[in-house]
Amino acid sequence: MQTQITSAPATKQLSTIPLLTHILRTEGISSVYKGVGPPLVSLSIVNTLSFTSYSYFRQNVFHGQDGWDVNNALSALPGAPLFGIVTTPENFLKTQMQLDNVQSEREKANKSQTNQLQSINGTRGRFTSSVHCARTLVSSHGLPILYTGHAINTVREASFVGAYFFFYEGYKEEFRSSLLGLEKVMFSGAGRSHNSSFSTSVAIPLAGGFAGATAWALTFPLDCVRAGVQGQLISSSPSNARLQKQGALEILKSLLKTKGITGLYAGVRPSIARAFLVSGSRFSAYESALLLCRRSGLTSSERSSRYED
């Protein structure tokens, strides 16, 4: 949805469900998992780096407090350049793999205008796997091709993680306070004491989910431009190795010219839904790991020790 804005006529641009149906009908169910390899590897690394970096800078440098504290956003920013180094190749390969079938048809159309060639080759893409994609493009264009869109991706990473942790800490306090208040009302009427561990266990995934959704909504235009830069047709032929790729500003101007401001939010709804589910489980795992480390004496108990009750 992000890339069809610049690659398809307005009459052929599809919304979420029609686009999914089209992909399943023309490419099969396996196609919705194309490019899954690079994210599995890079996100394992980036999640480790981002949470570790955030915890360190929050406790030792910026001294962020629970709740709506801008220092929490600042604590997340120092790791962004490192995240960009890891995620730029991942995002590039993922985007190229997801658009592989579409791009192969574009490349064929550039070589020949006949429908005969397309009907013979069907919708088979150029790459058999993410590793094959990386090897093919690197052999034709050199290693720097993997860092197409590095600048815009790093800016997006910084903007996202800053908003991500800021909203998480704020939402967590808001949800926890609200749930505690609700529990007090409910249990006081029943003559029983309340237990704040329930409020905390519910507040964490809710805060994580809403933080992910909010951060994605705010930074989605940057990701849309990033996808446009990294989703450009890149020939796998060495004879066409010299490319005139569009940069982030050119993609931004093209999106605004052809689609308006709404073009910067193409695909925002499925991304927000995904972010809510992923972030809720991510922060639950993070807080659970911190709790286990504190109880095992592996880390300081200063941060959020009151959540252990």
Side-chain angles (χ1 to χ4, degrees):
M1 291 182 70
Q2 289 177 326
T3 57
Q4 69 175 336
I5 297 297
T6 56
S7 64
T11 55
K12 294 185 178 180
Q13 293 167 9
L14 304 175
S15 58
T16 307
I17 300 302
L19 183 59
L20 175 61
T21 303
H22 172 75
I23 292 173
L24 293 174
R25 185 178 67 251
T26 59
E27 303 178 34
I29 192 170
S30 62
S31 64
V32 298
Y33 288 96
K34 293 191 71 172
V36 71
L40 287 178
V41 176
S42 73
L43 291 181
S44 299
I45 299 172
V46 169
N47 281 331
T48 302
L49 293 175
S50 61
F51 281 93
T52 302
S53 172
Y54 170 70
S55 295
Y56 174 82
F57 283 100
R58 184 178 192 263
Q59 181 172 333
N60 299 294
V61 179
F62 295 101
H63 307 292
Q65 303 299 313
D66 294 330
W68 300 104
D69 186 357
V70 71
N71 287 323
N72 294 325
L74 297 176
S75 301
L77 296 181
L82 185 57
F83 308 157
I85 293 175
V86 178
T87 60
T88 297
E90 173 255 306
N91 279 319
F92 173 71
L93 292 174
K94 178 184 69 176
T95 304
Q96 287 293 313
M97 283 297 296
Q98 289 175 337
L99 293 174
D100 185 29
N101 292 337
V102 176
Q103 290 180 336
S104 66
E105 294 305 318
R106 292 186 213 160
E107 193 172 50
K108 294 170 191 174
N110 290 337
K111 293 178 180 179
S112 174
Q113 297 298 321
T114 63
N115 294 326
Q116 181 179 4
L117 181 59
Q118 293 188 13
S119 63
I120 293 175
N121 289 278
T123 57
R124 291 177 298 173
R126 299 173 296 166
F127 311 120
T128 58
S129 66
S130 297
V131 174
H132 179 235
C133 175
R135 287 177 176 175
T136 301
L137 295 180
V138 169
S139 64
S140 300
H141 307 282
L143 192 61
I145 195 66
L146 298 180
Y147 280 87
T148 299
H150 178 61
I152 185 63
N153 182 64
T154 302
V155 171
R156 183 198 65 85
E157 288 284 359
S159 303
F160 177 80
V161 295
Y164 195 42
F165 286 102
F166 172 75
F167 283 105
Y168 170 68
E169 298 292 354
Y171 282 143
K172 184 171 65 175
E173 287 301 298
E174 295 291 342
F175 282 122
R176 186 172 185 273
S177 297
S178 299
L179 290 169
L180 276 174
L182 181 61
E183 281 189 82
K184 288 179 181 179
V185 172
M186 294 175 61
F187 287 122
S188 62
R192 294 180 295 173
S193 61
H194 68 279
N195 188 343
S196 63
S197 61
F198 172 78
S199 299
T200 301
S201 63
V202 175
I204 288 173
L206 281 177
F210 278 101
T214 304
W216 264 108
L218 292 175
T219 62
F220 196 79
L222 291 173
D223 190 65
C224 200
V225 173
R226 187 275 313 162
V229 173
Q230 295 187 324
Q232 296 176 84
L233 173 61
I234 298 179
S235 175
S236 55
S237 172
S239 60
N240 297 325
R242 298 186 66 181
L243 301 176
Q244 294 294 326
K245 296 188 302 233
Q246 287 184 306
L249 289 178
E250 288 80 6
I251 293 293
L252 175 60
K253 291 177 182 178
S254 177
L255 285 171
L256 293 175
K257 181 179 179 180
T258 59
K259 197 67 176 178
I261 194 69
T262 58
L264 297 176
Y265 288 91
V268 68
R269 284 180 292 183
S271 291
I272 287 179
R274 180 200 59 154
F276 184 91
L277 296 173
V278 170
S279 297
S281 60
R282 178 180 294 163
F283 275 104
S284 295
Y286 168 64
E287 295 285 3
S288 298
L290 283 181
L291 178 60
L292 290 174
C293 287
R294 289 189 211 105
R295 289 180 174 176
S296 302
L298 297 177
T299 189
S300 170
S301 60
E302 294 180 11
R303 183 184 184 276
S304 304
S305 59
R306 60 194 179 91
Y307 289 159
E308 296 184 24
D309 57 0

